[in-house]
Amino acid sequence: MGRKVHPIGFRLKITRDWDARWYAEGAKFRELLQEDFKIRRFVKKLGLRAGVSRIEIERYPNQLLVNIHTAKPGILIGRKGEAVKDLRTGIEVMTDKKVKVEVTEIEKPDLDPTLVAENIVDQLERRIGHSRAMKRAISQAMRQGALGIKIEVAGRLAGGDMARREWSSEGRVPRSSLRSDLDYGTAEALTTFGRIGVKVWIYKGEILKQEDKPEPKKDVYVTP
């Protein structure tokens, strides 16, 4: 089951909440969903070097709240908050609503599967061997406190004539257990031989009750 179901969608409302929190019906739902896609693409494009992992969107009657999780908040915020103000202005023009932007720092980027996958992709595009990149990412994640990690790459690895799939793991990665705090991320490397897909699973422990999960201390920057 763990290989057939999306690890995050499988655990929604159990160990993970939705990244988009709003409600609409009919054609309005379609419009807001496409608007969410535009906002995410816009933020990813502006925060290309900031290590943006997760973008949460909450909608209110006359306001839009965008919470950006990034490994390098200084790059996203900019000097005296100029970059994040430009980001907020761009989203306001796009949505025609008042926008509030929050920037949350990711304290341990080596434990964020999306950032780990993007790091491996960057190495693959620089022609570093996939086995070396995977081993380095696994050792860094385990050193930071992960209980288990699995990395899978697929495509024309090392410039082979035929596409193949390889994976490497360390520790426990219980993909079928609902109470497991299992995070998942993907990325794609565009190489001269074609695209190489990267999937990363990181296991951080078990969550028996949602209310027992301690809230991590994060530095949050709120636009004025």
Side-chain angles (χ1 to χ4, degrees):
M1 181 179 289
R3 292 184 296 171
K4 302 180 183 69
V5 181
H6 195 285
I8 294 177
F10 188 46
R11 295 170 175 83
L12 277 177
K13 210 57 183 177
I14 298 173
T15 61
R16 177 75 177 259
D17 201 1
W18 283 264
D19 287 345
R21 293 184 285 275
W22 48 268
Y23 177 79
E25 293 181 352
K28 188 68 175 176
F29 174 83
R30 182 174 63 249
E31 293 172 5
L32 296 181
L33 183 63
Q34 293 297 325
E35 194 174 271
D36 277 7
F37 289 148
K38 291 180 182 178
I39 292 172
R40 295 180 194 279
R41 285 194 294 265
F42 180 70
V43 173
K44 280 279 189 180
K45 185 177 179 181
L46 288 187
L48 195 62
R49 296 181 297 108
V52 176
S53 168
R54 187 180 174 192
I55 303 168
E56 296 178 298
I57 299 174
E58 287 189 56
R59 294 181 181 273
Y60 300 97
N62 297 314
Q63 190 180 32
L64 191 67
L65 175 62
V66 181
N67 188 8
I68 305 170
H69 297 255
T70 174
K72 301 174 183 176
I75 296 177
L76 196 64
I77 294 170
R79 183 175 296 179
K80 296 182 180 179
E82 293 178 359
V84 77
K85 288 179 182 176
D86 293 340
L87 179 66
R88 183 189 63 188
T89 304
I91 298 176
E92 285 179 347
V93 171
M94 187 187 306
T95 61
D96 197 23
K97 292 179 182 177
K98 186 178 179 182
V99 177
K100 182 180 179 182
V101 177
E102 294 182 356
V103 179
T104 304
E105 182 180 7
I106 299 173
E107 296 180 352
K108 295 182 178 180
D110 292 329
L111 293 181
D112 190 288
T114 301
L115 298 182
V116 172
E118 290 177 355
N119 183 33
I120 294 174
V121 161
D122 182 59
Q123 295 182 60
L124 293 175
E125 291 177 346
R126 289 189 282 116
R127 296 179 179 272
I128 295 176
H130 63 280
S131 298
R132 180 182 174 188
M134 290 163 65
K135 288 178 181 178
R136 183 184 299 175
I138 288 173
S139 64
Q140 289 176 346
M142 296 301 288
R143 198 180 302 121
Q144 288 291 328
L147 297 182
I149 177 172
K150 178 179 178 180
I151 301 176
E152 184 178 289
V153 294
R156 291 182 61 186
L157 304 176
D161 293 334
M162 186 176 291
R164 67 182 191 273
R165 188 184 305 270
E166 290 188 12
W167 61 272
S168 181
S169 66
E170 186 173 338
R172 291 179 59 232
V173 186
R175 291 179 294 175
S176 298
S177 175
L178 283 173
R179 64 172 178 261
S180 59
D181 186 7
L182 187 68
D183 210 350
Y184 172 75
T186 62
E188 286 186 356
L190 183 58
T191 67
T192 54
F193 303 104
R195 290 187 182 270
I196 296 178
V198 180
K199 297 180 181 180
V200 179
W201 294 261
I202 296 181
Y203 175 56
K204 304 174 185 177
E206 288 190 351
I207 301 176
L208 298 179
K209 293 182 180 180
Q210 183 68 22
E211 57 267 20
D212 293 340
K213 182 179 180 181
E215 286 291 332
K217 296 181 180 178
K218 298 178 181 178
D219 298 327
V220 177
Y221 176 87
V222 182
T223 55

